[in-house]
């Protein structure tokens, strides 16, 4: 097998792995609980990648996606760039679906405390925020923060809309742990079988990896708008369920 064939196969392997890692939606479907009491909770906890990655492995969590909420005055569908530029009051947020037969609101607040990366003084985009859907939830959340004054967070009513972030943000660390592992493997194979062309193979693979990342950000950038229907809750209930309505 000549060097050019090896290089071609390694590039095909890299491209295949890059674009066939399961999407956020398919991962969420696989995680779906058999419970008929699945509800939703939203929170901001700094940059949304790490909190979403950590909380989805917790007991009773059905799925976790990331997006933007906290600004009902916005008149357009935002992008990651517009949020970063401070053009909105939106917060990078995590949308958690959970089994209410296993978890209470207090349990979710403990999970929040464990995954929260926000710090006091953060700009709006990275603020720690507990988004609540009833007076009962608000009282429980405020009591939690009074009892845990080291937690960098505030309590706000949940906005009427959650903008589900661009697909390349979903399951971010899960995807990149796999991608980096594959990149290291591909580079090792190129070094072992590339012979005199090893350096060229390294360059092609690394530059193609960067190019694929940029292409993903350019074309995999659809933001879904999810309108939230709030239902009646009392102080002892888990967070209110929401209805998912996607407006393209």
């Amino acid at each position: 097998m000549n060097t050019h064939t090896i290089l071609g196969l390694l590039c095909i392997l890299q491209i295949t792995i890059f674009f066939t890692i399961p999407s956020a939606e398919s991962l969420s479907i696989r995680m779906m609980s058999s419970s008929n009491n699945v509800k939703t909770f939203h929170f901001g906890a700094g940059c949304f990648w790490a909190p979403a990655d950590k909380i989805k492995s917790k007991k009773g969590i059905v799925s976790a996606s990331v997006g933007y909420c906290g600004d009902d005055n916005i008149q357009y569908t935002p992008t990651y760039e517009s949020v970063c530029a401070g053009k909105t009051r939106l917060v990078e947020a995590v949308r958690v679906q959970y089994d209410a037969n296993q978890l209470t609101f207090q349990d979710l607040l403990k999970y929040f405390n464990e995954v929260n990366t926000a710090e006091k003084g953060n700009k709006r985009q990275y603020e720690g925020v507990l988004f609540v859907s009833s007076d009962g939830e608000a009282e429980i959340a405020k009591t939690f923060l009074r009892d845990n004054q080291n937690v960098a967070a505030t309590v706000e009513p949940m906005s009427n809309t959650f903008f589900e972030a661009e697909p390349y943000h979903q399951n971010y660390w899960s995807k990149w742990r796999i991608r980096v592992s594959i990149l290291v493997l591909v580079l090792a194979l190129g070094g072992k079988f590339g012979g005199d062309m090893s350096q060229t193979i390294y360059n092609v693979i690394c530059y193609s990896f960067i190019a694929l990342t940029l292409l993903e950000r350019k074309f995999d950038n659809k933001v879904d708008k999810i309108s939230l229907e709030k239902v009646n809750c009392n102080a002892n209930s888990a967070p209110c369920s929401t209805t998912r309505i996607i407006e393209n």
Side-chain angles (χ1 to χ4, degrees), residues 159-185:
S159 53
N160 294 322
T161 304
F162 177 82
F163 296 97
E164 191 167 75
E166 296 87 342
Y168 65 84
H169 288 299
Q170 307 299 334
N171 293 298
Y172 189 85
W173 288 122
S174 296
K175 289 187 289 191
W176 279 96
R177 279 192 289 268
I178 296 172
R179 288 174 178 177
V180 170
S181 297
I182 295 299
L183 176 62
V184 172
L185 174 61

Side-chain angles (χ1 to χ4, degrees), residues 3-248:
T3 302
H4 291 91
T5 302
I6 294 172
L7 179 59
L9 291 174
L10 291 177
C11 288
I12 291 172
L13 172 62
Q14 183 179 354
I15 293 170
T16 302
I17 294 298
F18 202 97
F19 288 109
T20 58
I21 292 175
S23 66
E25 190 68 23
S26 63
L27 284 172
S28 296
I29 291 172
R30 249 179 290 170
M31 293 167 64
M32 285 302 291
S33 167
S34 59
S35 171
N36 59 0
N37 196 17
V38 174
K39 296 185 178 180
T40 308
F41 174 52
H42 301 82
F43 64 86
C47 177
F48 48 27
W49 294 334
D53 184 65
K54 293 176 181 177
I55 202 169
K56 70 183 181 183
S57 63
K58 301 287 188 182
K59 179 181 177 182
I61 300 299
V62 175
S63 68
S65 58
V66 299
Y68 320 109
C69 63
D71 185 356
D72 277 334
N73 293 320
I74 188 167
Q75 301 297 316
Y76 59 91
T77 299
T79 63
Y80 181 65
E81 289 73 21
S82 66
V83 175
C84 289
K87 296 178 180 178
T88 73
R89 289 282 298 162
L90 292 168
V91 174
E92 287 195 15
V94 180
R95 173 180 168 87
V96 173
Q97 291 186 298
Y98 68 97
D99 186 348
N101 292 332
Q102 299 184 51
L103 298 173
T104 65
F105 192 25
Q106 288 87 342
D107 293 327
L108 291 170
L109 294 178
K110 292 177 183 177
Y111 283 173
F112 167 80
N113 192 24
E114 293 173 6
V115 305
N116 184 25
T117 63
E119 297 180 356
K120 294 180 179 179
N122 278 5
K123 69 175 184 175
R124 175 63 176 175
Q125 176 186 355
Y126 297 126
E127 283 184 351
V129 183
L130 297 168
F131 292 103
V132 297
S133 299
S134 72
D135 291 340
E137 289 178 19
E139 186 58 38
I140 294 171
K142 290 176 182 177
T143 299
F144 173 80
L145 294 179
R146 282 197 299 268
D147 294 341
N148 299 272
Q149 295 189 15
N150 61 319
V151 178
T154 58
V155 178
E156 293 184 16
M158 180 57 195
S159 53
N160 294 322
T161 304
F162 177 82
F163 296 97
E164 191 167 75
E166 296 87 342
Y168 65 84
H169 288 299
Q170 307 299 334
N171 293 298
Y172 189 85
W173 288 122
S174 296
K175 289 187 289 191
W176 279 96
R177 279 192 289 268
I178 296 172
R179 288 174 178 177
V180 170
S181 297
I182 295 299
L183 176 62
V184 172
L185 174 61
V186 170
L187 289 174
L189 291 173
K192 182 175 179 62
F193 298 107
D196 295 337
M197 293 288 290
S198 293
Q199 187 59 54
T200 300
I201 290 174
Y202 287 158
N203 291 341
V204 171
I205 291 173
C206 289
Y207 285 130
S208 65
F209 191 84
I210 294 170
L212 290 172
T213 301
L214 295 175
L215 286 172
E216 180 185 39
R217 286 188 170 238
K218 181 174 179 61
F219 295 107
D220 199 16
N221 58 4
K222 181 182 178 182
V223 175
D224 284 331
K225 181 179 178 181
I226 302 175
S227 299
L228 306 179
E229 178 186 12
K230 299 175 184 178
V231 298
N232 293 328
C233 298
N234 58 52
N236 297 319
S237 71
C240 301
S241 61
T242 60
T243 298
R244 178 185 174 107
I245 307 171
I246 299 180
E247 300 177 8
N248 295 323

